């Protein structure tokens, strides 16, 4: 279910922003591993308040490894946004399966991540258009449960889009692999 028949679909769309810019949204492929990984690190730095002096080389390597596998097996779809050849933004959705429930009989879920718009392009509808593509991809796979983590900056966008806070989930975190 996660990606059968969909992972090879080439998706490219030209979209005109409210300011009249012609932007290209396209599904990322293996040729985009460097850009996806760089963007992931930018997002993590911004979301966690980390400066350039913070060493994220291990996270970068693991992110690249994740993208290599997940783009190949269809468990992740990423969109890249360009203004000509200039990078303007990105977003991704990961697919995973949990035990089926009454409310989700297939058990398939989606997790939106790595939403990013370059500062020069913010407040132009790019993130909303990216969400449209990601949510559309999830719906095309029959998925009806999509979650995400929201930064303070992105919370308004997600609420306006229809995302609601989850009140029934909890999380237990551990530091590293200290077995």
């Amino acid at each position: 279910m996660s990606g059968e028949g969909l992972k090879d679909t080439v998706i490219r769309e030209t979209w005109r922003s409210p300011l009249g810019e012609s932007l290209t949204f396209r599904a990322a492929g293996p040729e985009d591993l460097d850009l996806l990984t760089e963007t992931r690190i930018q997002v993590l730095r911004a979301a966690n308040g980390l400066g350039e002096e913070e060493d994220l080389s291990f996270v970068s390597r693991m992110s690249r490894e994740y993208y290599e596998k997940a783009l190949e097996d269809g468990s992740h779809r990423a969109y890249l946004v360009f203004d000509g050849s200039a990078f303007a933004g990105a977003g991704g959705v990961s697919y995973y399966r949990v035990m089926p429930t009454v409310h989700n009989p297939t058990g398939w879920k989606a997790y939106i991540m790595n939403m990013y718009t370059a500062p020069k392009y913010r407040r132009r509808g790019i993130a909303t258009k990216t969400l449209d593509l990601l949510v559309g991809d999830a719906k095309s796979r029959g998925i009806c449960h999509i979650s995400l983590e929201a930064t303070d900056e992105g919370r308004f966008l997600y609420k306006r889009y229809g995302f609601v806070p989850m009140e029934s989930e909890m999380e237990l975190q551990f530091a590293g692999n200290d077995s």
Side-chain angles (χ1 to χ4, degrees):
M1 170 10 265
S2 67
E4 297 89 17
L6 295 172
K7 69 182 180 183
D8 297 325
T9 304
V10 176
I11 299 173
R12 178 183 291 269
E13 181 177 329
T14 301
W15 177 78
R16 190 159 304 279
S17 80
L19 296 180
E21 300 146 314
S22 181
L23 301 167
T24 301
F25 289 73
R26 70 170 175 81
E31 69 279 6
D32 299 307
L33 289 171
D34 289 340
L35 181 56
L36 287 168
T37 303
E38 289 167 19
T39 303
R40 177 70 180 149
I41 297 305
Q42 283 181 312
V43 167
L44 291 173
R45 286 189 188 287
N48 295 287
L50 302 174
E52 290 297 322
E53 71 282 354
E54 189 75 32
D55 181 15
L56 296 181
S57 58
F58 179 72
V59 175
S60 180
R61 283 193 311 278
M62 293 295 100
S63 295
R64 184 181 178 90
E65 184 179 298
Y66 166 83
Y67 281 125
E68 284 179 34
K69 179 185 178 299
L71 289 175
E72 172 63 28
D73 70 17
S75 63
H76 187 87
R77 167 80 75 193
Y79 283 94
L80 300 171
V81 186
F82 295 94
D83 180 6
S85 62
F87 174 71
V93 58
S94 292
Y95 299 103
Y96 63 100
R97 194 169 192 193
V98 297
M99 180 68 75
T101 67
V102 172
H103 301 291
N104 185 358
T106 67
W108 283 103
K109 292 186 172 195
Y111 186 81
I112 290 180
M113 57 180 19
N114 224 44
M115 291 290 294
Y116 177 79
T117 304
K120 168 181 171 178
Y121 294 96
R122 292 181 182 163
R123 308 280 183 259
R124 299 181 190 188
I126 293 170
T128 300
K129 176 63 179 172
T130 304
L131 273 176
D132 287 343
L133 293 168
L134 297 172
V135 169
D137 192 79
K139 284 181 176 179
S140 76
R141 297 172 188 233
I143 292 174
C144 55
H145 293 271
I146 304 171
S147 60
L148 54 76
E149 285 183 50
T151 61
D152 289 339
E153 192 174 344
R155 197 170 308 281
F156 176 76
L157 164 72
Y158 302 128
K159 279 185 171 180
R160 188 180 67 211
Y161 200 89
F163 284 88
V164 295
M166 298 185 313
E167 297 182 22
S168 62
E169 290 194 17
M170 300 173 78
E171 179 178 63
L172 177 62
Q173 294 185 356
F174 295 92
N177 271 340
D178 307 22
S179 354

